[in-house]
């Protein structure tokens, strides 16, 4: 007679699963995990797929019902945005953990791995992990719609400067780029005397006006026009216009101050040179090195104008130059510049080299000029000054020549310039050669003036190699330490359309 072995007794403290008979620790459901999951699905009712709307232009995600927020890929903000879409379904379970599963950036897919718990049969707690997949769909937000329309605006800032040269505008453009003041603009339009900035709200336009008043000497005024009026809700729709006028003085201008203004500035000479325009007009007296700063309010109370057009600059050659180390200060004289050196020079026009006619002048460029150097300046001895203050001055107090800056080989400076600037995207008028020459003058000013250069983002131009200084002609240059690396994200690195999703 054959005896079959008895079935193995369960281990001490274990019971058999009521479905499959596997020994398990006791639990209120009397079932193993496998059978419990087969009987109960705690993720039932939670959607496993969803949709997220993304604006390509501003790189923001839609948070219903109408809010657009900036989120980086796999960030806490984006995770919270995705969980809010299934928040109602998660109310019946307990969320333990949530995180992203990596996906290709160009796949337009976001995958979330969620871990949830729920109390099931007879008080047993079941934990389960599952994946929710979101499809990223492109949808243009309202702000970008208005930008693309280019005709929907509620406020405009009209920036004007009644001068021939655009040096101040080029400098202002770099300040706007550095401080990212152009982000809220719907459209930037370039006209003959300045720029027009269009905005969707009056607050953004007012912010631009406040920025301009802090960075350049100017004055502003505002007006508004009624577009529509809802008599039932008492809602008014206005279009606001802000007019900003920048002082008509640029760098390297020769100006003639009024006697009252010159006296209030420490008895400075009426004939001065503008060495810089930032939040104020910085003037220097080429005969004494005395300096003065004139803000916008002072200028509009005592206005003055440039005596010469930039095209009237003439080229001189230094025949002889002597540095003046000590100069007696007059009564009540103001501060003097420590960055310049006073010198007395004999110069001759390069167009008059066949003659013996020389000019004597005092200059503030004694620290960079030597005999034989070429220098640009204005000839006051052979010109007609059409200025109300200059016509009343004693002719003995008017210098024959005012030297402005040292002259270098422009073509060589262009070839060796291994840096570049960014520009605002704007609707341009037809550019001419004069605009190109003025922009080139501005680039040279950046190389020569370190004070202005500190307020500008200068980027390394990798297309032009770095040259050695063996053939250096002494022209000012910008060091590599002052340049920024221009970041470019190529489509090959991110997979075509995926580059548009990067923040």
């Amino acid at each position: 007679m054959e005896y079959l072995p008895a079935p193995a007794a369960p281990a001490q403290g274990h019971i058999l699963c009521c479905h499959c008979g596997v020994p398990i620790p006791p639990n209120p459901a009397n079932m193993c995990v496998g059978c419990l999951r087969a009987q109960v699905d705690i993720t039932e009712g939670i959607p496993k797929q969803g949709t997220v709307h993304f604006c390509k232009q501003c790189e923001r995600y839609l948070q219903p019902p109408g809010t657009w927020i900036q989120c980086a890929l796999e960030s806490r903000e984006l995770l919270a945005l995705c969980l809010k879409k299934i928040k109602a379904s998660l109310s019946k379970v307990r969320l333990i953990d949530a995180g992203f599963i990596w996906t290709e950036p160009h796949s337009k897919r976001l995958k979330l791995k969620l871990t949830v718990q729920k109390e099931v049969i007879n008080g047993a707690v079941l934990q389960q992990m599952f994946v929710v997949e979101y499809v990223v769909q492109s949808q243009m937000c309202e702000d970008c719609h208005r930008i693309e329309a280019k005709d929907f605006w509620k406020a405009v800032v009209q920036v004007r400067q009644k001068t021939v040269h655009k040096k101040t505008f080029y400098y202002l453009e770099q300040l706007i780029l550095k401080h990212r003041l152009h982000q809220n603009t719907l459209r930037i339009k370039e006209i003959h005397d300045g720029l027009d900035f269009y905005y969707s709200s009056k607050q953004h336009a007012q912010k631009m006006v406040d920025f301009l008043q802090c960075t350049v000497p100017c004055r502003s005024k505002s007006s508004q026009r009624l577009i529509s009026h809802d008599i039932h809700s008492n809602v008014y729709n206005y279009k606001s216009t802000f007019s900003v006028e920048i002082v008509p003085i640029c760098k390297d201008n020769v100006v003639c101050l009024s006697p009252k203004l010159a006296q209030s500035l420490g008895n400075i000479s009426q004939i001065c040179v503008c060495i810089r325009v930032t939040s104020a007009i910085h003037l220097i007296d080429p005969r004494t090195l005395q300096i003065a700063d004139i803000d916008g309010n002072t200028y509009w109370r005592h206005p003055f104008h440039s005596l010469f057009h930039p095209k009237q600059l003439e080229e001189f050659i230094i025949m002889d130059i002597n540095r003046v180390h000590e100069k007696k200060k007059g009564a009540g004289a103001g501060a003097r510049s420590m960055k310049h050196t006073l010198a007395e020079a004999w110069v001759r026009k390069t167009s008059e080299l066949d003659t013996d006619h020389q000019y004597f002048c005092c200059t503030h460029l004694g620290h960079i000029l030597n005999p034989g150097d070429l220098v640009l300046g204005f000839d006051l001895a052979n010109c007609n000054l059409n200025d109300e203050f200059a016509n009343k001055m004693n002719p003995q107090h008017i210098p024959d020549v005012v030297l402005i800056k040292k002259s270098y080989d422009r073509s060589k400076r262009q070839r060796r310039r291994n840096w570049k600037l960014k520009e605002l995207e704007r609707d341009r008028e037809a550019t001419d050669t004069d605009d190109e020459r003025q922009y080139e003058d501005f680039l040279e000013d950046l190389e020569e003036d370190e004070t202005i250069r500190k307020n500008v983002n200068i980027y390394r131009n990798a297309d032009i190699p770095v040259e050695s200084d063996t053939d250096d002609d002494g022209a000012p240059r910008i060091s590599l330490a002052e340049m920024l690396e221009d970041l470019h994200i190529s489509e090959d690195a991110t997979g075509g359309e995926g580059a548009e999703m990067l923040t």
Side-chain angles (χ1 to χ4, degrees), residues 380-444:
L380 280 74
N382 302 314
C383 69
N384 294 323
L385 295 178
N386 187 17
D387 185 83
E388 57 175 331
F389 303 128
N391 294 336
K392 297 177 182 179
M393 287 182 61
N394 188 342
Q396 296 180 356
H397 295 163
I398 300 178
D400 293 339
V401 173
V402 177
L403 301 182
I404 300 300
K405 61 180 179 179
K406 188 175 179 179
S407 178
Y408 301 95
D409 187 353
R410 170 165 288 189
S411 59
K412 183 180 292 186
R413 294 181 72 171
Q414 291 177 345
R415 291 195 304 268
R416 293 166 51 177
R417 185 171 293 132
N418 58 345
W419 55 274
K420 59 183 178 180
L421 301 176
K422 291 187 177 180
E423 298 183 8
L424 289 174
E425 295 183 2
R426 56 185 183 268
D427 299 337
R428 293 178 176 270
E429 293 182 344
T431 58
D432 52 13
T433 56
D434 189 51
D435 291 341
E436 296 176 0
R437 181 188 62 81
Q438 293 181 17
Y439 188 71
E440 187 67 26
D441 290 342
F442 173 69
L443 298 182
E444 294 178 359

Side-chain angles (χ1 to χ4, degrees), residues 351-366:
S351 59
E352 299 177 354
L353 291 179
D354 54 343
T355 65
D356 295 333
H357 192 190
Q358 296 185 11
Y359 301 89
F360 175 79
C361 65
C362 294
T363 179
H364 60 290
L365 304 176

Side-chain angles (χ1 to χ4, degrees), residues 72-291:
L73 290 177
E74 300 190 5
S75 63
R76 295 169 58 94
E77 295 79 7
L78 185 58
L79 180 62
L81 176 65
C82 295
L83 290 177
K84 284 181 180 179
K85 290 184 170 293
I86 57 175
K87 183 178 179 180
S89 303
L90 292 175
S91 60
K92 299 179 181 180
V93 296
R94 181 184 178 188
L95 181 64
I96 301 300
D97 187 26
F100 283 101
I101 300 176
W102 187 86
T103 56
E104 291 286 346
H106 67 277
S107 64
K108 298 295 183 71
R109 297 292 187 274
L110 298 174
K111 292 185 178 181
L112 267 65
K113 182 174 69 173
L114 305 181
T115 304
V116 295
Q117 286 182 353
K118 186 179 181 181
E119 186 175 335
V120 290
I121 303 173
N122 296 329
V125 178
L126 183 62
Q127 179 173 309
Q128 187 173 346
M129 290 189 303
F130 64 101
V131 177
V132 179
E133 181 177 342
Y134 291 92
V135 179
V136 180
Q137 292 187 353
S138 299
Q139 177 178 330
M140 188 177 292
C141 65
E142 294 181 0
D143 295 336
C144 294
H145 264 298
R146 294 170 181 172
I147 294 174
E148 291 297 322
K150 293 185 178 181
D151 58 355
F152 186 90
W153 57 272
K154 289 187 177 180
V156 59
V157 179
Q158 300 174 342
V159 186
R160 301 290 184 268
Q161 186 183 29
K162 298 177 181 179
T163 183
V164 177
H165 209 291
K166 298 181 180 179
K167 286 184 179 181
T168 307
F169 267 110
Y170 292 135
Y171 173 67
L172 183 61
E173 177 184 13
Q174 297 304 317
L175 290 180
I176 293 174
L177 287 169
K178 182 173 183 177
H179 296 280
R180 306 177 69 85
L181 262 295
H182 62 291
Q183 286 187 324
N184 297 322
T185 55
L186 301 179
R187 179 189 182 192
I188 302 177
K189 182 180 180 181
E190 179 180 349
I191 63 172
H192 177 65
D193 290 333
L195 296 172
D196 288 346
F197 297 87
Y198 295 88
Y199 295 91
S200 59
S201 68
K202 184 179 179 180
Q203 290 76 14
H204 291 157
Q206 185 64 55
K207 184 178 179 181
M208 171 61 84
V209 174
D210 295 340
F211 174 77
L212 295 175
Q213 291 177 339
C214 295
T215 52
V216 291
C218 61
R219 62 179 176 182
S220 64
K221 59 181 179 180
S222 62
S223 63
Q224 59 184 9
R225 179 165 56 96
L226 180 63
I227 303 301
S228 61
H229 174 212
D230 188 349
I231 59 175
H232 300 288
S233 60
N234 202 27
V235 174
Y236 293 83
N237 183 19
Y238 290 99
K239 280 194 174 183
S240 302
T241 301
F242 296 87
S243 177
V244 180
E245 183 180 359
I246 304 175
V247 297
I249 303 297
C250 291
K251 185 179 183 298
D252 297 336
N253 284 165
V254 178
V255 299
C256 184
L257 309 179
S258 65
K260 184 177 180 180
L261 179 59
Q263 183 180 9
S264 66
L265 296 175
N267 289 326
I268 195 172
S269 175
Q270 289 184 248
I271 302 293
C272 295
V273 178
C274 178
I275 57 175
R276 193 179 303 114
V277 177
T278 55
S279 57
I281 304 173
H282 302 269
L283 302 178
I284 187 171
D285 183 357
R287 297 191 296 178
T288 61
L289 297 188
Q290 186 175 338
I291 56 176

